[in-house]
């Protein structure tokens, strides 16, 4: 191993039997395959110089490392790559500095690497950690790879603790298996964060993914990964028809106050929540939100205060009544991916407002109007008034029903014009049978019941009939009702015309 270190070559202790060489299997590895952790630390911290024309590096394959590997606070200059190795005890790397560190398909009781610093990559693919991984405030210069890793919880119930971690480029955790809470609070990822095909399972506490204030410069992927040969898709979303492993999360997800430079992609994601758990996207900001996962059967989806430009969604992805909250959710464009007619969109808003809240209706109407869907926007505002009506006292509710039935709260001005025409015709026939002595016997116009009815219905305009005839008994009440109805209907028609002219 000493000579391999100086040569920069691989020190391989595999037996050649796949079952025996499996670092995660139960077959024991004896002293012939064992290296003391103290020797490994000696090589990395104060090893011999490389041979002439060579670069020293530690490359171990199929090695059992006895005792605790403790490199805390050390500066490790050689390249480190361990494949298929079995660690007897935990690996301690807090505040250590590496150029590049690769542990591939290794069995590690626990990785303790708070504030570790790497100039290049930190690769941990296909490793299994029985007691969790701690990367709190770690600084990874380029990529962090956790593809196909299996991580079990520590004593605090966390599988991966990476609060405050900074990754210079990509964080790939495709087909990761996490049993406990995966914590990425206030972490920063320089390019994309991929959890394609990952399975997060935390039956112990409320959250399986706890990542408030997460910053990802490009895209967060909670999407499927292709299963085949090669097993992973190297950061691409598999095409339709490809055999895939879906992203699955059994436990709550918290992405509150996250910032994502390109998108949050939930294509075909599956969330299995208890009634008290949430998929929380409070105050998330992203140019595009692809809400295309399977509908959660239980739990809540919280979109309150989130902001996006493009909302790409489908009807089958949103939860039902009482399980969706989106007060203050701002979006500018709707990009539905399946049949999502206005009736379903209104049901979507209603599901998000267990108690009446005008803001979601007004937001939807504003977006539809900006897209040129004026008629749909009016339908949304009409639905808002109908929803508001249910919160009013009985008298106001009855008045609301009257407004809805007659003029649709002013959002269908054509209906008001029809009512005016019907009232005009009916009152013209009625007034033709009314007693009508003139107010001034000397100078009055000819009696015209149609003009009288129109004069009463049209406010402001004087057709010279209403003040010329003395109506008595019940006809006075009829004329008063005509005046009131005329003011109401004319105001509605004027308001509708104003809306049309403003949009024009």
């Amino acid at each position: 191993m000493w000579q391999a270190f100086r040569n920069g070559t691989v020190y391989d202790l595999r037996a050649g039997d796949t079952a025996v060489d499996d670092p995660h299997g139960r077959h024991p590895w004896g002293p012939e395959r064992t290296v003391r952790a103290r020797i490994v630390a000696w090589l990395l911290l104060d090893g011999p110089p490389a041979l002439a024309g060579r670069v020293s590096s530690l490359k171990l394959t199929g090695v059992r490392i006895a005792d605790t590997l403790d490199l805390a606070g050390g500066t490790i200059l050689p390249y480190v790559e361990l494949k298929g190795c079995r660690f007897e005890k935990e690996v301690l790397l807090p505040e250590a500095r590496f150029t590049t560190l690769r542990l591939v398909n290794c069995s590690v009781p626990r990785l303790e690497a708070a504030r570790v610093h790497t100039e290049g990559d930190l690769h941990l693919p296909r490793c299994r950690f029985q007691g969790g991984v701690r990367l709190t405030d770690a600084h990874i210069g380029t990529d962090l790879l956790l593809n196909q890793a299996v991580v079990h919880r520590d004593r605090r119930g966390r599988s991966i603790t990476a609060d405050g971690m900074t990754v210079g480029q990509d964080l790939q955790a495709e087909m990761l298996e996490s049993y406990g809470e995966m914590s990425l609070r206030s972490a920063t990822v320089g390019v994309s964060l991929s959890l394609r095909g990952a399975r997060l399972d935390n039956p112990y506490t409320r959250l399986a993914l706890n990542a408030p204030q997460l910053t990802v410069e490009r895209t967060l992927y909670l999407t499927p990964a292709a299963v085949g040969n090669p097993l992973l898709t190297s950061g691409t979303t598999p095409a339709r028809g490809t055999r895939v492993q879906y992203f699955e999360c059994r436990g709550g997800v918290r992405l509150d106050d996250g910032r994502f430079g390109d998108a949050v992609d939930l294509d075909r994601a599956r969330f299995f929540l208890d009634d008290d758990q949430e998929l929380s996207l409070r105050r998330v900001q992203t140019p595009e939100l692809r809400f295309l996962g399977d509908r959660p059967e239980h739990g809540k989806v919280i979109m309150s205060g989130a902001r996006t430009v493009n909302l790409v969604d489908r009807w089958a992805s949103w939860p039902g009544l009482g399980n969706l909250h989106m007060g203050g959710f701002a979006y500018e464009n709707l990009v539905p991916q399946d049949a999502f007619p206005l009736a379903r969109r209104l049901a979507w808003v209603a599901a998000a407002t267990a108690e009446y809240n005008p803001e979601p209706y007004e937001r939807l109407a504003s977006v539809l109007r900006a897209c040129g869907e004026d008629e749909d926007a009016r339908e949304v505002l009409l639905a808002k008034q109908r929803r508001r009506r249910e919160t009013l006292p009985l008298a106001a509710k009855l008045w609301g029903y009257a407004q809805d039935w007659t003029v649709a709260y002013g959002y269908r001005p054509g209906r008001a014009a029809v009512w005016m025409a019907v009232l005009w015709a009916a009152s013209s026939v009625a007034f033709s049978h009314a007693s009508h002595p003139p107010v001034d016997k000397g100078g009055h116009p000819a009696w015209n019941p149609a003009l009288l009815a129109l004069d009463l219905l049209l406010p402001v305009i004087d057709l010279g009939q209403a003040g010329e005839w003395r109506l008595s008994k019940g006809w006075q009440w009829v004329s008063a009702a005509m005046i009131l109805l005329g003011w109401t209907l004319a105001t509605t028609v004027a308001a509708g015309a104003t809306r049309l002219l403003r949009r024009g």
Side-chain angles (χ1 to χ4, degrees):
M1 185 174 70
W2 192 273
Q3 291 302 318
F5 177 83
R6 299 187 69 192
N7 278 320
T9 55
V10 177
Y11 183 60
D12 192 342
L13 294 181
R14 287 178 296 180
D17 185 322
T18 303
V20 173
D21 291 334
D22 182 3
H24 316 296
R26 296 184 177 181
H27 197 285
W29 291 3
E32 73 282 358
R33 298 184 63 169
T34 301
V35 173
R36 286 175 294 171
R38 183 171 61 87
I39 302 302
V40 174
W42 186 8
L43 281 174
L44 293 176
L45 295 172
D46 194 21
L51 296 177
R54 308 295 294 181
V55 177
S56 60
S57 59
L58 183 65
K59 300 178 181 178
L60 304 180
T61 301
V63 174
R64 173 175 175 263
I65 299 176
D67 300 323
T68 299
L69 179 59
D70 187 352
L71 298 170
T75 298
I76 295 90
L77 297 179
Y79 172 86
V80 182
E81 182 176 273
L82 283 69
K83 293 184 177 180
C85 292
R86 183 182 292 177
F87 289 81
E88 186 179 85
K89 295 185 178 180
E90 63 183 349
V91 177
L92 302 179
L93 307 178
E95 301 189 32
R97 300 181 70 89
F98 291 84
T99 51
T100 293
L101 173 61
R102 289 190 171 98
L103 304 181
V104 180
N105 193 31
C106 294
S107 177
V108 186
R110 174 173 172 79
L111 176 61
E112 177 66 51
R115 297 175 298 283
V116 70
H117 187 286
T118 69
E119 294 180 11
D121 298 336
L122 174 59
H123 287 189
L124 305 170
R126 300 195 301 281
C127 288
R128 296 188 183 182
F129 302 92
Q130 292 79 36
V133 173
R134 187 182 182 201
L135 291 167
T136 305
D137 295 319
H139 179 89
I140 312 302
T142 50
D143 297 333
L144 171 59
L145 264 61
L146 289 161
N147 296 339
Q148 296 175 258
V150 179
V151 189
H152 295 271
R153 62 174 180 151
D154 60 15
R155 290 174 295 180
R156 296 183 177 180
R158 294 177 178 174
S159 57
I160 298 174
T161 305
D163 302 337
M165 177 181 65
T166 301
V167 179
Q169 296 184 16
D170 291 317
L171 194 170
Q172 290 192 15
E174 300 183 358
M175 300 182 75
L176 166 76
E177 293 183 29
S178 167
Y179 299 97
E181 180 183 305
M182 182 177 182
S183 182
L184 297 171
R185 294 181 298 178
S186 302
T188 300
V189 179
V191 184
S192 294
L193 194 168
S194 176
L195 285 165
R196 292 182 175 94
R199 291 178 175 173
L200 311 183
D201 189 354
N202 185 15
Y204 315 106
T205 57
R206 293 183 60 184
L207 295 173
L209 176 59
N210 186 17
Q213 298 180 327
L214 172 65
T215 300
V216 179
E217 294 298 328
R218 296 191 65 183
T219 301
L220 169 64
Y221 294 99
L222 307 182
T223 58
V227 178
N229 189 17
L231 187 62
L232 293 179
T233 58
S234 300
T236 61
T237 300
R240 297 284 180 177
T242 305
R243 191 164 67 94
V244 299
Q245 178 170 305
Y246 294 94
F247 171 84
E248 293 184 358
C249 184
R250 298 181 182 273
V253 176
R254 184 184 178 205
L255 295 171
D256 300 349
D257 300 293
R259 301 292 182 269
F260 305 91
D262 284 352
V264 175
D265 193 346
L266 307 180
D267 183 27
R268 291 177 278 177
R270 295 174 175 176
F271 299 96
F272 302 93
L273 307 174
D274 293 337
D275 290 335
D276 62 341
Q277 293 175 337
E278 299 176 350
L279 167 57
S280 179
L281 300 171
R282 291 178 175 89
R283 299 174 298 279
V284 161
Q285 294 188 22
T286 178
E288 185 164 290
L289 173 60
R290 302 168 193 155
F291 200 88
L292 302 170
D294 294 348
R295 173 181 289 146
E297 295 297 327
H298 304 282
K300 294 179 172 58
V301 174
I302 312 296
M303 308 293 299
S304 304
R307 301 181 65 86
T308 186
V309 177
N310 298 321
L311 176 59
V312 184
D313 64 346
R314 61 168 60 99
W315 164 250
S317 297
W318 294 105
L321 181 65
N323 290 332
L324 173 62
H325 300 270
M326 57 181 190
F329 176 35
Y331 50 93
E332 297 180 18
N333 301 302
L334 291 170
V335 189
Q337 294 299 291
D338 60 3
F340 210 149
L342 182 62
R344 282 184 170 180
R345 189 65 76 179
L346 287 172
W348 171 67
V349 174
T353 51
E355 297 181 356
Y356 170 68
N357 182 1
E359 191 275 334
Y361 290 94
E362 292 168 358
R363 168 62 58 179
L364 177 57
S366 176
V367 170
L368 292 172
R369 188 177 295 114
C371 296
E373 303 290 340
D374 290 345
E375 182 62 31
D376 286 349
R378 288 195 295 272
E379 287 294 327
V380 172
L381 294 175
L382 177 57
K384 181 191 77 169
Q385 292 292 346
R386 288 169 173 168
R387 185 74 185 279
R388 174 178 174 271
R389 181 177 64 208
E390 302 306 315
T391 66
L392 299 176
L394 179 60
K397 187 181 295 186
L398 293 175
W399 174 241
Y401 277 113
Q403 286 183 293
D404 191 1
W405 185 59
T406 55
V407 296
Y409 287 98
Y411 291 107
R412 293 174 185 167
R415 184 185 294 183
V418 170
W419 275 107
M420 288 194 73
V422 170
L423 285 172
W424 179 38
S427 57
S428 297
V429 173
F431 282 132
S432 65
H433 299 89
S435 174
H436 53 278
V439 174
D440 184 0
K441 296 182 178 181
H444 58 80
W447 167 251
N448 189 324
L451 279 180
L452 175 62
L454 193 60
D455 201 0
L456 293 172
L457 276 174
L458 294 178
V460 181
I461 300 175
D462 184 6
L463 299 179
Q465 287 285 331
E468 300 296 331
W469 311 101
R470 187 180 294 109
L471 300 176
S472 60
K473 298 182 180 179
W475 295 109
Q476 290 182 331
W477 290 103
V478 172
S479 62
M482 293 290 293
I483 293 171
L484 290 174
L485 289 173
W487 272 101
T488 301
L489 294 174
T491 302
T492 301
V493 172
T498 302
R499 292 192 190 97
L500 291 173
L501 290 172
R502 187 181 298 120
R503 285 192 293 272

